[in-house]
Structures are given as C-alpha cells and as structure tokens.
Amino acid sequence: EGEEDYPEEYAKFDGIETLGYRVLGVQPNSPASTAGLVSFLDFLVGVNGEMLMGSGEGLQEGDEYDDIDFPALLKENNGKELELLVHNIKSNSQRLVNITPSSEWGGAGLLGVTIRLDNYGGADERLIRVLSVEHNSPAAIAGLVPMTDYLLGTTSSSFDSDSALAEVLMVH
C-alpha cells in the first residue's frame, strides 16, 4: 500500500515545506481564469483554511503525509465555492481566491487549470532569462525580448534549469 500511490518523481519533495500545485496553464473562460489564476507564477497551497500539503509534523518513519486529496476535494465540491490560498512567486505574496469547481463551464476539468506538484521556495530564482535573440530566429519571430523576457515552461512542465529547457527543445 502506498507505493503505487506515490510516484517516484515526488520523492524529491520529501521534507520540503514550500510545496504546492504550480499553475502551468489556465483555459480561457474557465473557473481558474475567472478567479484570476496566473500560469507559472501562481501556486495553489491551501483550501478552505487548510494547507494542501501536510506539514509532516510528528510523522514517524514510514508514515504517510496528511496531504489533502485535491482532486477528490474538487469533485466533492462541484458547484460549491472554495477559498484557495494562492502563493505568487513574482510578488512573493499570498492571496485568497474564491473559485467554484464546475463540470458545466464547457472545458476540461473542474477548474480548467493544469497543475503540477512543485516547490515554490526559491522558484523565482530558477527562471531562465533570455539574454540574446538572433535575427530571424524562432525566438525573434516569437517576439522574445533580450534581458526582459523569461522562459518559464510549457503547459506540461516548468523550466527550473537550462537542462529542462534543452530536453523540451530536443523533443520538439
């Protein structure tokens, strides 16, 4: 029990207290869009006065963290307003956001958001800054501005290192 429910990729997060669900994408006209969630910069860290990730306080070796089952909570509250605690890495601040999960909004999921477990501690320091752009390159065509723009990620991953960016570029 537990092994199948705990993907190996999550092991790197053991003992980290600054965990949340990073917003990777927000669908237009979704509950997440209406609530003003911001891709890559916002982390969902709490709901209705409770932290999503258990503190681990008092855990014995081998005990499970007392994390909230966020997908199950959303299903249980379909059509009911929830209060999310959102941490924004750009402003390094937290805000409360009211959001109503809904299967009726016309898109995928109850919130219309793509999220992934991530560490928000120091996340603002793990960004990739655009230093230069070659004339007529894909970066130039996309309108990237040197020394101003940052590459944050895709809808399925965040770029926390240049190797993460390189991996995506090799695949595409």
Side-chain angles (χ1 to χ4, degrees):
E1 227 295 297
E3 284 298 314
E4 306 84 44
D5 300 344
Y6 194 76
E8 198 175 297
E9 66 183 90
Y10 291 173
K12 67 182 177 186
F13 297 124
D14 279 354
I16 296 176
E17 294 182 14
T18 50
L19 284 184
Y21 291 105
R22 186 177 211 151
V23 175
L24 295 178
V26 177
Q27 297 176 38
N29 305 313
S30 66
S33 172
T34 303
L37 294 180
V38 180
S39 296
F40 297 104
L41 302 178
D42 279 345
F43 284 75
L44 310 181
V45 296
V47 62
N48 291 347
E50 291 185 55
M51 298 306 280
L52 287 171
M53 300 297 136
S55 68
E57 233 173 79
L59 277 188
Q60 301 296 318
E61 183 73 33
D63 284 355
E64 299 271 328
Y65 279 86
D66 53 343
D67 300 339
I68 291 174
D69 184 342
F70 193 50
L73 180 94
L74 294 177
K75 287 178 188 151
E76 290 165 14
N77 287 279
N78 190 357
K80 301 176 200 153
E81 188 174 80
L82 297 173
E83 185 180 68
L84 292 179
L85 177 61
V86 178
H87 180 86
N88 183 279
I89 62 168
K90 185 174 182 184
S91 63
N92 195 27
S93 63
Q94 295 187 338
R95 68 187 190 281
L96 293 173
V97 171
N98 293 321
I99 193 166
T100 304
S102 173
S103 53
E104 309 290 314
W105 70 272
L110 295 173
L111 298 180
V113 66
T114 304
I115 58 174
R116 183 177 185 158
L117 186 65
D118 203 352
N119 176 10
Y120 61 87
D124 58 329
E125 297 163 13
R126 296 188 308 269
L127 302 174
I128 298 176
R129 190 172 194 180
V130 175
L131 299 178
S132 65
V133 175
E134 295 292 323
H135 186 66
N136 288 333
S137 68
I141 293 165
L144 293 179
V145 179
M147 306 307 288
T148 300
D149 287 338
Y150 291 84
L151 302 179
L152 303 175
T154 69
T155 55
S156 60
S157 67
S158 55
F159 299 151
D160 56 5
S161 68
D162 55 355
S163 61
L165 169 62
E167 193 174 308
V168 168
L169 292 175
M170 294 291 268
V171 171
H172 299 284

